[in-house]
Amino acid sequence: MMIPIAEPLLGKEELENVTAAVRSGWISSAGKFITEFEEEFAGYCGSKYAVATCNGTVALHLALTALEIVAGDEVIVPALSFIAAANVVRYTGATPVFVDSHPDYWCLDPEKIEEAITPRTKAIIPVHLYGHPSDMDEIVAVARKHQLYVVEDAAEAHGAEYKGKRVGSLSTIACFSFYGNKIITTGEGGMCLTSDEKLAERMRLLRDHAMCRDKKYWHETIGFNYRMTNMQAAVGVAQLGKIDGFLVKKRQIASWYAEGLAGLAERGLIKLHPEMSWARCAYWLYSVLIEDDFRMSRDALIGRLKANGIDSRPFFYPIHIMPPYKSDNRFPIAEETSRRGINLPSGVGLNRDDAEKVLSVIRAAIPT
Ligand SMILES: *Cc1c(COP(=O)(O)O)cnc(C)c1O
C-alpha cells in the first residue's frame, strides 16, 4: 500500500446524499442538491452567486466567456501553474501572457504584472498555488489601474484566506475545482463564484447551451453544456459540511512536516511551504523546495520516496517551456521553483506515522 499524495475522504454522509439523489430520480442537472451546494459554497466563500459546473477547467472557460474575452485579447497567467488557466485562454481564441512567480510564496508576482500589460490585455488570472493565496490587493490595484478583470483560479485553495477573507470573494469571478484530489471533491466538478448578478445570470445561460429562459430551444449565442449533476452536488454538499475539519487536518499535516524538516530548513537544504503574514494557507499539497546543497536531486528524492511506498509529485512544469506555449521568454523564479519543488503526501487520511515515514526517508537522503 502506497502512502497516497492526496485521496478523498468519503463517508456515510456522501453515500446518504447520493442515495437520496438516486431515489428522487433527479440524477441529471436539476435537483435540490445543485442549488443547496451552490448557495452554501457561495456563502462559505463570502460571495453572492454560484454557478456549478462539470469541472474546474470549464468553470474558468465559462468565466472568460461571460467576460467576453475573445480572439485578439490577452490574458495574464502565471508561468508556474497547472496548465488549465493557459488552455482556457486559448479556448476563447485569446493569448495567454505569462508572468513570473514571487520567490517567497510561488504565486503570480504582482510587481511583474505591469510590464506584461499591453493595450490588448483584458484580464489577469491569479492562481492560489498549492493552497497559498495570491497577493490580491496588489493584483486588484494593478487591474483597476488598467481596467482589467481579475479571475481567481482557486482550484487548489478552498477555504484559504487573504487578510482574513476567504479566497473566492476577492475578484470579479472566482473558479474552483472539485476533482478527486482537491480539498473537497464531487468526483469531477467545478464552480464559478461572483457577486455580480448580471455575470451570474450570463454564466447560467452559457452553462446551459445559452438557451432562452422563456423561449425553449431558442439560442441567441453559442453556449455550452457545462452543467454539474445533482449526484455530484449531493457529494459536494456532504463534503462542504466537512471542509472545516479537512482544513484543520491539512494544517496539522503541515505542522508535522514543518517541525520534522525544521533542522534541514535551518541548514539551508530545504525550503518549507510558505505562509505569508497576510495569508492563511489551505495547504492543499504540502510542498517544499529542495535546495542545491541537498545531496540528492529532487527527482532522485521522488524515486527514493516511491521505493519506500510513498507517493509524491514534482511541481508543475512552467507553462512557457511546454510545446503548446513554447516561448523564448525566461521566467527565472518560475523555472527555479518548478525545478526544485516537490509535493508531499497531504491527504486528510494521512496519520502521524505516515508523516514520520515520509520524514525519515527525506532525512536519510542527506549527509549527517
Ligand atoms: C485542478 C486544477 C484546475 C482544473 O480543474 P479540473 O476540475 O481538473 O478541470 C485548474 N487550475 C488549477 C490550479 C488546478 O489545480
Side-chain angles (χ1 to χ4, degrees):
M1 262 276 286
M2 291 284 278
I3 298 178
I5 184 80
E7 79 291 11
L9 203 65
L10 303 165
K12 69 173 190 345
E13 297 81 3
E14 286 79 2
L15 203 54
E16 275 168 16
N17 283 4
V18 174
T19 306
V22 172
R23 288 227 166 94
S24 75
W26 293 97
I27 57 164
S28 204
S29 49
K32 73 169 186 118
F33 288 112
I34 300 274
T35 26
E36 197 176 331
F37 189 38
E38 288 181 334
E39 282 169 11
E40 286 183 7
F41 194 71
Y44 180 80
C45 297
S47 189
K48 273 198 186 153
Y49 307 102
V51 182
T53 60
C54 46
N55 62 61
T57 305
V58 304
L60 285 162
H61 185 220
L62 191 63
L64 297 187
T65 309
L67 294 171
E68 296 177 12
I69 306 286
V70 293
D73 293 341
E74 292 175 358
V75 178
I76 288 174
V77 177
L80 178 61
S81 179
F82 184 59
I83 200 165
N87 284 350
V88 296
V89 174
R90 279 279 179 85
Y91 298 168
T92 67
T95 305
V97 173
F98 300 109
V99 165
D100 209 354
S101 317
H102 193 287
D104 294 340
Y105 57 94
W106 312 335
C107 301
L108 202 57
D109 187 340
E111 300 219 322
K112 295 182 185 147
I113 293 175
E114 217 152 18
E115 64 203 46
I117 292 173
T118 75
R120 293 166 182 267
T121 311
K122 289 283 153 51
I124 308 172
I125 308 183
V127 181
H128 307 313
L129 199 66
Y130 301 129
H132 195 288
S134 305
D135 192 347
M136 294 304 291
D137 280 354
E138 299 297 318
I139 292 168
V140 169
V142 178
R144 283 230 172 92
K145 185 172 161 195
H146 296 272
Q147 294 184 295
L148 309 175
Y149 296 117
V150 178
V151 175
E152 279 169 89
D153 180 346
E156 305 181 352
H158 319 58
E161 290 173 24
Y162 175 74
K163 299 185 180 173
K165 285 192 192 142
R166 291 217 168 104
V167 303
S169 64
L170 309 165
S171 59
T172 314
I173 303 177
C175 302
F176 288 83
S177 165
F178 305 110
Y179 181 64
N181 67 7
K182 300 291 160 87
I183 293 170
I184 59 170
T185 185
T186 60
E188 295 276 1
M191 188 96 77
C192 297
L193 299 184
T194 183
S195 288
D196 181 321
E197 191 179 359
K198 284 214 176 74
L199 277 177
E201 228 2 85
R202 182 90 190 143
M203 290 193 287
R204 290 229 156 82
L205 186 77
L206 290 167
R207 174 179 67 176
D208 191 17
H209 300 288
M211 180 152 61
C212 265
R213 285 269 174 272
D214 31 274
K215 195 169 170 187
K216 201 83 182 157
Y217 306 124
W218 183 261
H219 311 263
E220 297 276 352
T221 184
I222 294 175
F224 317 101
N225 176 359
Y226 281 174
R227 299 177 304 244
M228 176 184 271
T229 70
N230 197 42
M231 291 188 291
Q232 290 167 298
V235 175
V237 167
Q239 287 271 295
L240 188 54
K242 303 175 181 180
I243 191 171
D244 289 330
F246 289 168
L247 290 166
V248 167
K249 183 65 192 278
K250 294 270 186 197
R251 287 193 85 76
Q252 185 177 43
I253 293 168
S255 73
W256 292 339
Y257 284 135
E259 279 162 30
L261 297 171
L264 298 185
E266 270 162 35
R267 290 165 63 193
L269 301 174
I270 273 183
K271 190 171 180 285
L272 301 178
H273 199 127
E275 182 172 56
M276 301 301 280
S277 60
W278 39 259
R280 193 167 169 86
C281 185
Y283 294 108
W284 171 51
L285 293 179
Y286 190 86
S287 309
V288 297
L289 303 186
I290 303 301
E291 304 287 0
D292 287 336
D293 287 342
F294 195 90
R295 194 185 51 176
M296 193 177 267
S297 73
R298 190 271 312 266
D299 291 340
L301 180 60
I302 288 174
R304 176 69 69 86
L305 286 164
K306 189 169 181 206
N308 283 274
I310 297 162
D311 203 9
S312 65
R313 293 275 184 285
F315 270 24
F316 301 125
Y317 290 104
I319 300 173
H320 67 281
I321 71 163
M322 292 188 276
Y325 299 101
K326 203 152 173 46
S327 126
D328 291 333
N329 292 340
R330 295 272 67 89
F331 301 98
I333 307 292
E335 288 166 28
E336 273 301 288
T337 307
S338 164
R339 185 174 70 76
R340 288 157 40 199
I342 175 169
N343 312 120
L344 299 177
S346 306
V348 284
L350 193 89
N351 61 38
R352 181 94 210 208
D353 287 347
D354 297 330
E356 285 304 328
K357 190 172 169 200
V358 175
L359 288 165
S360 68
V361 173
I362 298 174
R363 285 199 209 98
I366 54 125
T368 45

